[in-house]
Amino acid sequence: MTQSHPRISKAVIPAAGLGTRFLPATKATPKEMLPVVDKPAIQYVVEEAASAGLSDVLMITGRNKRPLEDHFDRNYELESALTRKGDAQRLAKVQESSDLATMHYVRQGDPRGLGHAVLCAAPHVGDQPFAVLLGDDLIDPRDPLLARMVEIQEREGGSVIALMEVDPSQIHLYGCAAVEATGESDVVRVTNLVEKPDPSEAPSNLAIIGRYVLDPAVFDILRKTEPGRGNEIQLTDALQKLAEDEKAGGPVHGVIFKGRRYDTGDRGDYLRAIVRLACEREDLGPEFRTWLRSYVNEEM
């Protein structure tokens, strides 16, 4: 009989980064609030968590991140003005972000890496498994990844990480997983993890992308984890210990994602994400695609 594990209801979103790659735009605006078409990037991530049934969201923030809290709060003045104008369509869009999930916030006072940011969630999460979603990775809602990861964790226990095949020459940009096959084509058993390996030493071309479902045992390991690459506490190092010793917190599985992913952490990929999403919008796509074809054919 398949063992049943606790239902996951909490998501953690680290959002304390400085966004230096997008300066000067991020000098006074959090990078998570940069728009992807007409919604800030962070809203896509919260929507993904809510769609997977994770209605309790903790955001790890830092200095100058107050706009994140304001965005997911009610704006009574704006709502009142739209109501008086009879603008129901825009009113619904404004209210949507504040109704997505129950939002909580905690500051990462000392930015010491992703592992440290996750550790900041320990008092809120307690002894229950939880999801971690990185804001730079936007997953297309038509290709549900997080729901599949939650399903595997609730069935198998332990932790689950999202993996994606990349060109071997690009693996040095990611954490990389050594894996063993299971009876399911999209699920693997993770035996080792390496943070940003040299391509000649990488155990596979399976890169870790920004979705995790973690056993709370990871907190004890993170408390003992010494700073690694970049003098930061790396979540990958803690997950490697879990993969090496199942008794520490259950197995580590990987879900191999073959769907649509938009990377907003790089300026070029950010622009490509906007174009791709705009092209696929019913309200914007037809006209935008016509203009784009004309621009490419005539101007380029």
Side-chain angles (χ1 to χ4, degrees), residues 49-72:
S51 294
L54 311 184
S55 58
D56 184 316
V57 176
L58 174 68
M59 204 167 288
I60 312 297
T61 68
R63 293 184 67 249
N64 302 323
K65 297 286 185 170
R66 181 60 186 271
L68 294 172
E69 299 185 33
D70 291 340
H71 180 72
F72 292 102

Side-chain angles (χ1 to χ4, degrees), residues 9-267:
S9 63
K10 295 182 179 180
V12 174
I13 303 177
L18 297 175
T20 53
R21 287 181 289 180
F22 282 85
L23 286 169
T26 50
K27 179 181 179 181
T29 302
K31 70 170 183 175
E32 296 84 5
M33 289 300 297
L34 295 179
V36 179
V37 188
D38 54 3
K39 287 191 294 191
I42 195 68
Q43 183 170 331
Y44 290 88
V45 181
V46 175
E47 287 174 351
E48 181 186 353
S51 294
L54 311 184
S55 58
D56 184 316
V57 176
L58 174 68
M59 204 167 288
I60 312 297
T61 68
R63 293 184 67 249
N64 302 323
K65 297 286 185 170
R66 181 60 186 271
L68 294 172
E69 299 185 33
D70 291 340
H71 180 72
F72 292 102
D73 199 359
R74 297 291 298 274
N75 187 325
Y76 292 102
E77 294 84 356
L78 178 57
E79 291 178 26
S80 178
L82 292 172
T83 299
R84 289 196 301 271
K85 291 180 179 181
D87 195 338
Q89 184 177 10
R90 288 189 174 89
L91 177 63
K93 289 183 177 180
V94 168
Q95 293 176 330
E96 182 182 14
S97 60
S98 57
D99 295 336
L100 282 172
T102 302
M103 302 295 298
H104 308 271
Y105 305 89
V106 64
R107 282 195 175 191
Q108 183 187 14
D110 186 10
R112 296 167 56 198
L114 177 58
H116 181 259
V118 171
L119 188 55
C120 291
H124 181 81
V125 169
D127 60 356
Q128 297 296 310
F130 63 103
V132 175
L133 298 84
L134 304 191
D136 287 345
D137 282 330
L138 305 188
I139 304 298
D140 195 297
R142 293 168 295 183
D143 302 312
L145 169 62
L146 188 59
R148 176 62 168 158
M149 296 174 67
V150 168
E151 174 192 347
I152 298 302
Q153 198 284 333
E154 291 180 345
R155 188 185 73 199
E156 304 291 344
S159 298
V160 182
I161 62 176
L163 301 172
M164 196 168 192
E165 293 182 352
V166 300
D167 188 284
S169 65
Q170 299 298 306
I171 197 64
H172 69 284
L173 301 173
Y174 300 87
C176 176
V179 302
E180 297 176 348
T182 69
E184 297 172 277
S185 61
D186 66 329
V187 180
V188 291
R189 184 74 168 260
V190 177
T191 59
N192 193 24
L193 294 165
V194 183
E195 180 67 21
K196 297 182 178 179
D198 184 278
S200 64
E201 300 176 353
S204 74
N205 69 330
L206 291 173
I208 305 170
I209 59 175
R211 297 294 181 271
Y212 309 81
V213 180
L214 302 177
D215 187 277
V218 73
F219 293 132
D220 286 337
I221 295 175
L222 285 169
R223 293 184 184 101
K224 302 170 186 175
T225 299
E226 296 293 327
R229 181 182 287 267
N231 200 34
E232 296 182 337
I233 298 175
Q234 299 288 348
L235 179 59
T236 303
D237 292 341
L239 287 169
Q240 179 183 355
K241 290 183 172 62
L242 288 175
E244 291 173 346
D245 182 10
E246 185 173 324
K247 294 180 181 178
V252 177
H253 286 90
V255 170
I256 301 175
F257 182 62
K258 297 181 185 254
R260 287 157 283 200
R261 167 181 172 257
Y262 311 106
D263 183 355
T264 62
D266 171 84
R267 288 174 298 175

